[in-house]
Amino acid sequence: GWVPALQLARRGSKAVTRHWKAMHFQREKLLAVTEYVPPRPAVPPRCLPRPAQPTHQEDGYERLLRRQVQEVFQSSRMVAVCQYNSMPDEDMATMRHYLRKHNIEVKFVLNEIVRSVLEQSKYRNLVPLFVCRNILLVSPETRAKEMLRVLKGIPQVNLLGACIDDTILSRQGVENFARLPPLEASQGQTVGALALLPSQTSSLLQRGPWLLTALLDEHIRRLRDTETPGEPPQEQGT
């Protein structure tokens, strides 16, 4: 019959001659006696002072960025913190153009630099806002209404809070501030309200003398009308 050219022959596995064997007790005792035991320290490690951590050396570029952030908060009456999401360069340029019309500048800052500056200043309550990619909208004037009008058409930039005239405001606080009338109108209303009370007080104080004068004039007129013509006036006794 036909025999295939390739034949597989199964061979038996080799016998395992090395099995695990327990160590002799004398050798085990010898190894236990000769085991190295390190000496205990004279002072426990937990009682030793902690090693001094290496201090971070601030370079010149970081000092420059810190100085710029400090100047922004010192020279600006309005500093708004916004969350910045990725947007095309054309839209960013358009936003800068419309904000610059109202004297508002866009500042890109590093959160590490801003946090280190704010934690040592009176604006430390703004630190929780710097948790993602942020930008600052700064202006030497309080242009909250114009800023909100521009940001309304840019969903990639979300207002988180602001510092206006050294007062920290939330987003709702900025919107309420934008609804306030101009400063000149508020000053005029305040002056009018303050001048109303003195005018009322003055009119009340003058009402008594004016009424007395009117009564005396009426009395003199009646006396003149009752006198007969040609009769000399009576002299008053001493």
Side-chain angles (χ1 to χ4, degrees):
W2 175 80
V3 179
L6 180 62
Q7 295 182 359
L8 298 178
R10 183 177 180 182
R11 299 180 179 275
S13 60
K14 189 179 293 186
V16 179
T17 58
R18 301 184 62 180
H19 295 279
W20 177 85
K21 187 177 180 181
M23 186 183 301
H24 196 274
F25 69 95
Q26 291 184 355
R27 184 180 179 184
E28 188 175 0
K29 286 182 179 181
L30 181 62
L31 291 177
V33 171
T34 58
E35 184 180 2
Y36 173 75
V37 179
R40 294 183 178 180
V43 181
R46 62 178 179 274
C47 299
L48 296 175
R50 294 182 179 180
Q53 298 180 355
T55 57
H56 175 67
Q57 298 293 335
E58 187 179 26
D59 56 0
Y61 182 64
E62 291 183 3
R63 288 195 298 270
L64 176 62
L65 295 179
R66 288 170 58 89
R67 191 181 306 114
Q68 290 178 354
V69 173
Q70 292 175 357
E71 292 177 356
V72 164
F73 278 89
Q74 291 175 1
S75 62
S76 303
R77 295 181 58 187
M78 185 186 73
V79 180
V81 183
C82 301
Q83 179 185 2
Y84 173 74
N85 300 316
S86 180
M87 57 188 303
D89 296 339
E90 295 79 5
D91 297 344
M92 188 65 190
T94 304
M95 184 187 72
R96 284 175 175 265
H97 172 70
Y98 284 112
L99 290 175
R100 196 176 293 112
K101 282 186 176 181
H102 305 290
N103 199 12
I104 303 175
E105 295 292 336
V106 180
K107 301 287 185 180
F108 286 88
V109 294
L110 297 176
N111 292 347
E112 296 78 8
I113 302 297
V114 176
R115 289 197 200 98
S116 61
V117 173
L118 296 182
E119 287 174 354
Q120 302 175 2
S121 65
K122 59 183 177 180
Y123 309 109
R124 62 179 61 92
N125 292 332
L126 287 174
V127 174
L129 299 180
F130 294 91
V131 295
C132 55
R133 191 178 182 185
N134 302 99
I135 59 174
L136 299 180
L137 304 182
V138 300
S139 174
E141 304 174 2
T142 56
R143 299 295 184 89
K145 184 182 299 184
E146 294 80 359
M147 178 186 66
L148 292 176
R149 189 183 302 116
V150 174
L151 295 181
K152 187 176 181 181
I154 305 175
Q156 292 86 355
V157 179
N158 301 321
L159 179 65
L160 301 178
C163 179
I164 301 177
D165 288 338
D166 294 337
T167 303
I168 297 177
L169 302 175
S170 62
R171 179 184 177 89
Q172 186 62 36
V174 176
E175 294 177 355
N176 296 336
F177 180 83
R179 298 191 190 100
L180 295 177
L183 181 60
E184 294 76 8
S186 300
Q187 292 177 349
Q189 294 176 0
T190 304
V191 171
L194 294 177
L196 179 61
L197 295 178
S199 63
Q200 292 179 352
T201 304
S202 177
S203 62
L204 290 176
L205 293 176
Q206 294 177 0
R207 183 178 180 182
W210 178 81
L211 182 59
L212 179 61
T213 303
L215 292 176
L216 291 177
D217 292 342
E218 182 67 18
H219 181 66
I220 293 174
R221 187 182 63 79
R222 288 185 179 182
L223 290 178
R224 288 177 181 176
D225 293 343
T226 55
E227 290 180 358
T228 57
E231 183 179 354
Q234 298 180 0
E235 296 181 355
Q236 296 180 357
T238 58

mmCIF file of all heavy atoms in Angstrom, residues 187-214:
data_model
loop_
_atom_site.group_PDB
_atom_site.id
_atom_site.type_symbol
_atom_site.label_atom_id
_atom_site.label_comp_id
_atom_site.label_asym_id
_atom_site.label_seq_id
_atom_site.Cartn_x
_atom_site.Cartn_y
_atom_site.Cartn_z
ATOM 1 N N GLN A 187 -24.419 110.035 40.917
ATOM 2 C CA GLN A 187 -24.055 111.181 41.743
ATOM 3 C C GLN A 187 -25.142 112.253 41.726
ATOM 4 O O GLN A 187 -25.446 112.853 42.765
ATOM 5 C CB GLN A 187 -22.729 111.749 41.255
ATOM 6 C CG GLN A 187 -21.535 110.838 41.503
ATOM 7 C CD GLN A 187 -20.246 111.384 40.939
ATOM 8 O OE1 GLN A 187 -20.256 112.369 40.173
ATOM 9 N NE2 GLN A 187 -19.126 110.770 41.290
ATOM 10 N N GLY A 188 -25.744 112.491 40.543
ATOM 11 C CA GLY A 188 -26.826 113.464 40.482
ATOM 12 C C GLY A 188 -28.032 113.038 41.308
ATOM 13 O O GLY A 188 -28.643 113.861 42.013
ATOM 14 N N GLN A 189 -28.397 111.748 41.252
ATOM 15 C CA GLN A 189 -29.515 111.257 42.063
ATOM 16 C C GLN A 189 -29.216 111.369 43.546
ATOM 17 O O GLN A 189 -30.091 111.723 44.347
ATOM 18 C CB GLN A 189 -29.822 109.817 41.682
ATOM 19 C CG GLN A 189 -30.346 109.629 40.273
ATOM 20 C CD GLN A 189 -30.545 108.176 39.915
ATOM 21 O OE1 GLN A 189 -30.292 107.279 40.724
ATOM 22 N NE2 GLN A 189 -30.991 107.913 38.685
ATOM 23 N N THR A 190 -27.973 111.081 43.921
ATOM 24 C CA THR A 190 -27.610 111.176 45.339
ATOM 25 C C THR A 190 -27.658 112.615 45.827
ATOM 26 O O THR A 190 -28.166 112.902 46.924
ATOM 27 C CB THR A 190 -26.203 110.594 45.554
ATOM 28 O OG1 THR A 190 -26.159 109.252 45.070
ATOM 29 C CG2 THR A 190 -25.831 110.599 47.024
ATOM 30 N N VAL A 191 -27.131 113.530 45.006
ATOM 31 C CA VAL A 191 -27.166 114.945 45.396
ATOM 32 C C VAL A 191 -28.606 115.445 45.499
ATOM 33 O O VAL A 191 -28.966 116.188 46.418
ATOM 34 C CB VAL A 191 -26.358 115.785 44.392
ATOM 35 C CG1 VAL A 191 -26.553 117.277 44.648
ATOM 36 C CG2 VAL A 191 -24.884 115.436 44.479
ATOM 37 N N GLY A 192 -29.471 115.024 44.552
ATOM 38 C CA GLY A 192 -30.872 115.432 44.617
ATOM 39 C C GLY A 192 -31.571 114.899 45.863
ATOM 40 O O GLY A 192 -32.358 115.605 46.507
ATOM 41 N N ALA A 193 -31.278 113.619 46.205
ATOM 42 C CA ALA A 193 -31.902 113.052 47.405
ATOM 43 C C ALA A 193 -31.411 113.731 48.675
ATOM 44 O O ALA A 193 -32.184 113.953 49.622
ATOM 45 C CB ALA A 193 -31.623 111.552 47.463
ATOM 46 N N LEU A 194 -30.115 114.076 48.698
ATOM 47 C CA LEU A 194 -29.578 114.754 49.884
ATOM 48 C C LEU A 194 -30.084 116.195 49.991
ATOM 49 O O LEU A 194 -30.255 116.716 51.100
ATOM 50 C CB LEU A 194 -28.049 114.745 49.844
ATOM 51 C CG LEU A 194 -27.377 113.363 49.972
ATOM 52 C CD1 LEU A 194 -25.878 113.493 49.840
ATOM 53 C CD2 LEU A 194 -27.739 112.721 51.301
ATOM 54 N N ALA A 195 -30.332 116.857 48.852
ATOM 55 C CA ALA A 195 -30.811 118.239 48.895
ATOM 56 C C ALA A 195 -32.298 118.330 49.168
ATOM 57 O O ALA A 195 -32.803 119.393 49.538
ATOM 58 C CB ALA A 195 -30.479 118.939 47.583
ATOM 59 N N LEU A 196 -33.045 117.243 48.987
ATOM 60 C CA LEU A 196 -34.485 117.283 49.202
ATOM 61 C C LEU A 196 -34.838 117.466 50.669
ATOM 62 O O LEU A 196 -35.711 118.279 51.023
ATOM 63 C CB LEU A 196 -35.120 115.990 48.664
ATOM 64 C CG LEU A 196 -36.635 115.867 48.834
ATOM 65 C CD1 LEU A 196 -37.352 116.992 48.076
ATOM 66 C CD2 LEU A 196 -37.106 114.509 48.356
ATOM 67 N N LEU A 197 -34.177 116.747 51.539
ATOM 68 C CA LEU A 197 -34.490 116.850 52.974
ATOM 69 C C LEU A 197 -34.179 118.228 53.539
ATOM 70 O O LEU A 197 -35.019 118.799 54.270
ATOM 71 C CB LEU A 197 -33.728 115.756 53.732
ATOM 72 C CG LEU A 197 -34.139 114.311 53.402
ATOM 73 C CD1 LEU A 197 -33.272 113.333 54.188
ATOM 74 C CD2 LEU A 197 -35.606 114.078 53.726
ATOM 75 N N PRO A 198 -33.013 118.829 53.281
ATOM 76 C CA PRO A 198 -32.807 120.205 53.790
ATOM 77 C C PRO A 198 -33.809 121.211 53.245
ATOM 78 O O PRO A 198 -34.221 122.129 53.973
ATOM 79 C CB PRO A 198 -31.381 120.527 53.325
ATOM 80 C CG PRO A 198 -30.726 119.206 53.171
ATOM 81 C CD PRO A 198 -31.794 118.297 52.679
ATOM 82 N N SER A 199 -34.210 121.056 51.964
ATOM 83 C CA SER A 199 -35.201 121.997 51.419
ATOM 84 C C SER A 199 -36.541 121.853 52.126
ATOM 85 O O SER A 199 -37.209 122.854 52.427
ATOM 86 C CB SER A 199 -35.353 121.769 49.913
ATOM 87 O OG SER A 199 -35.856 120.454 49.661
ATOM 88 N N GLN A 200 -36.949 120.609 52.402
ATOM 89 C CA GLN A 200 -38.194 120.414 53.140
ATOM 90 C C GLN A 200 -38.098 120.973 54.551
ATOM 91 O O GLN A 200 -39.044 121.603 55.065
ATOM 92 C CB GLN A 200 -38.543 118.924 53.182
ATOM 93 C CG GLN A 200 -38.927 118.336 51.835
ATOM 94 C CD GLN A 200 -39.231 116.858 51.921
ATOM 95 O OE1 GLN A 200 -39.005 116.237 52.961
ATOM 96 N NE2 GLN A 200 -39.737 116.285 50.837
ATOM 97 N N THR A 201 -36.969 120.751 55.197
ATOM 98 C CA THR A 201 -36.786 121.290 56.550
ATOM 99 C C THR A 201 -36.812 122.812 56.537
ATOM 100 O O THR A 201 -37.421 123.451 57.409
ATOM 101 C CB THR A 201 -35.457 120.781 57.127
ATOM 102 O OG1 THR A 201 -35.439 119.354 57.089
ATOM 103 C CG2 THR A 201 -35.284 121.245 58.561
ATOM 104 N N SER A 202 -36.143 123.423 55.549
ATOM 105 C CA SER A 202 -36.140 124.889 55.466
ATOM 106 C C SER A 202 -37.542 125.440 55.216
ATOM 107 O O SER A 202 -37.947 126.455 55.815
ATOM 108 C CB SER A 202 -35.193 125.322 54.345
ATOM 109 O OG SER A 202 -35.221 126.725 54.179
ATOM 110 N N SER A 203 -38.319 124.775 54.357
ATOM 111 C CA SER A 203 -39.692 125.250 54.098
ATOM 112 C C SER A 203 -40.563 125.126 55.346
ATOM 113 O O SER A 203 -41.398 126.003 55.625
ATOM 114 C CB SER A 203 -40.296 124.468 52.941
ATOM 115 O OG SER A 203 -40.378 123.085 53.276
ATOM 116 N N LEU A 204 -40.368 124.045 56.115
ATOM 117 C CA LEU A 204 -41.141 123.900 57.353
ATOM 118 C C LEU A 204 -40.768 124.964 58.378
ATOM 119 O O LEU A 204 -41.634 125.487 59.087
ATOM 120 C CB LEU A 204 -40.921 122.499 57.937
ATOM 121 C CG LEU A 204 -41.534 121.326 57.164
ATOM 122 C CD1 LEU A 204 -41.143 120.011 57.816
ATOM 123 C CD2 LEU A 204 -43.058 121.454 57.108
ATOM 124 N N LEU A 205 -39.480 125.294 58.471
ATOM 125 C CA LEU A 205 -39.056 126.322 59.422
ATOM 126 C C LEU A 205 -39.529 127.718 58.999
ATOM 127 O O LEU A 205 -39.812 128.569 59.860
ATOM 128 C CB LEU A 205 -37.530 126.299 59.555
ATOM 129 C CG LEU A 205 -36.931 125.041 60.203
ATOM 130 C CD1 LEU A 205 -35.418 125.104 60.193
ATOM 131 C CD2 LEU A 205 -37.451 124.867 61.621
ATOM 132 N N GLN A 206 -39.610 127.979 57.715
ATOM 133 C CA GLN A 206 -40.045 129.294 57.239
ATOM 134 C C GLN A 206 -41.561 129.439 57.180
ATOM 135 O O GLN A 206 -42.061 130.555 57.005
ATOM 136 C CB GLN A 206 -39.459 129.555 55.843
ATOM 137 C CG GLN A 206 -37.946 129.686 55.821
ATOM 138 C CD GLN A 206 -37.415 129.877 54.430
ATOM 139 O OE1 GLN A 206 -38.182 129.907 53.464
ATOM 140 N NE2 GLN A 206 -36.087 129.991 54.316
ATOM 141 N N ARG A 207 -42.265 128.346 57.319
ATOM 142 C CA ARG A 207 -43.721 128.421 57.200
ATOM 143 C C ARG A 207 -44.339 129.197 58.354
ATOM 144 O O ARG A 207 -45.268 130.006 58.155
ATOM 145 C CB ARG A 207 -44.302 127.012 57.160
ATOM 146 C CG ARG A 207 -45.815 126.984 56.962
ATOM 147 C CD ARG A 207 -46.316 125.569 56.876
ATOM 148 N NE ARG A 207 -47.751 125.524 56.694
ATOM 149 C CZ ARG A 207 -48.460 124.393 56.619
ATOM 150 N NH1 ARG A 207 -47.816 123.217 56.695
ATOM 151 N NH2 ARG A 207 -49.767 124.443 56.457
ATOM 152 N N GLY A 208 -43.811 128.998 59.583
ATOM 153 C CA GLY A 208 -44.354 129.710 60.743
ATOM 154 C C GLY A 208 -44.179 131.218 60.650
ATOM 155 O O GLY A 208 -45.156 131.985 60.776
ATOM 156 N N PRO A 209 -42.937 131.728 60.448
ATOM 157 C CA PRO A 209 -42.784 133.193 60.309
ATOM 158 C C PRO A 209 -43.564 133.766 59.132
ATOM 159 O O PRO A 209 -44.104 134.890 59.243
ATOM 160 C CB PRO A 209 -41.267 133.341 60.100
ATOM 161 C CG PRO A 209 -40.672 132.141 60.751
ATOM 162 C CD PRO A 209 -41.640 131.043 60.522
ATOM 163 N N TRP A 210 -43.623 133.031 58.043
ATOM 164 C CA TRP A 210 -44.378 133.548 56.890
ATOM 165 C C TRP A 210 -45.867 133.663 57.219
ATOM 166 O O TRP A 210 -46.521 134.660 56.866
ATOM 167 C CB TRP A 210 -44.183 132.613 55.714
ATOM 168 C CG TRP A 210 -44.973 133.024 54.485
ATOM 169 C CD1 TRP A 210 -44.637 133.965 53.567
ATOM 170 C CD2 TRP A 210 -46.249 132.505 54.099
ATOM 171 N NE1 TRP A 210 -45.608 134.079 52.602
ATOM 172 C CE2 TRP A 210 -46.621 133.191 52.909
ATOM 173 C CE3 TRP A 210 -47.099 131.547 54.618
ATOM 174 C CZ2 TRP A 210 -47.820 132.925 52.252
ATOM 175 C CZ3 TRP A 210 -48.284 131.296 53.958
ATOM 176 C CH2 TRP A 210 -48.644 131.976 52.792
ATOM 177 N N LEU A 211 -46.419 132.676 57.913
ATOM 178 C CA LEU A 211 -47.827 132.733 58.292
ATOM 179 C C LEU A 211 -48.093 133.855 59.289
ATOM 180 O O LEU A 211 -49.112 134.574 59.196
ATOM 181 C CB LEU A 211 -48.241 131.389 58.891
ATOM 182 C CG LEU A 211 -49.721 131.245 59.302
ATOM 183 C CD1 LEU A 211 -50.631 131.464 58.086
ATOM 184 C CD2 LEU A 211 -49.974 129.876 59.926
ATOM 185 N N LEU A 212 -47.154 134.035 60.253
ATOM 186 C CA LEU A 212 -47.311 135.134 61.215
ATOM 187 C C LEU A 212 -47.260 136.485 60.521
ATOM 188 O O LEU A 212 -48.060 137.396 60.828
ATOM 189 C CB LEU A 212 -46.209 135.030 62.278
ATOM 190 C CG LEU A 212 -46.199 136.126 63.355
ATOM 191 C CD1 LEU A 212 -47.516 136.115 64.148
ATOM 192 C CD2 LEU A 212 -45.014 135.940 64.295
ATOM 193 N N THR A 213 -46.358 136.646 59.580
ATOM 194 C CA THR A 213 -46.275 137.907 58.841
ATOM 195 C C THR A 213 -47.551 138.168 58.046
ATOM 196 O O THR A 213 -48.067 139.304 57.990
ATOM 197 C CB THR A 213 -45.066 137.868 57.902
ATOM 198 O OG1 THR A 213 -43.885 137.607 58.648
ATOM 199 C CG2 THR A 213 -44.897 139.191 57.169
ATOM 200 N N ALA A 214 -48.100 137.115 57.430
ATOM 201 C CA ALA A 214 -49.339 137.291 56.670
ATOM 202 C C ALA A 214 -50.496 137.687 57.587
ATOM 203 O O ALA A 214 -51.324 138.545 57.227
ATOM 204 C CB ALA A 214 -49.656 135.995 55.923
#
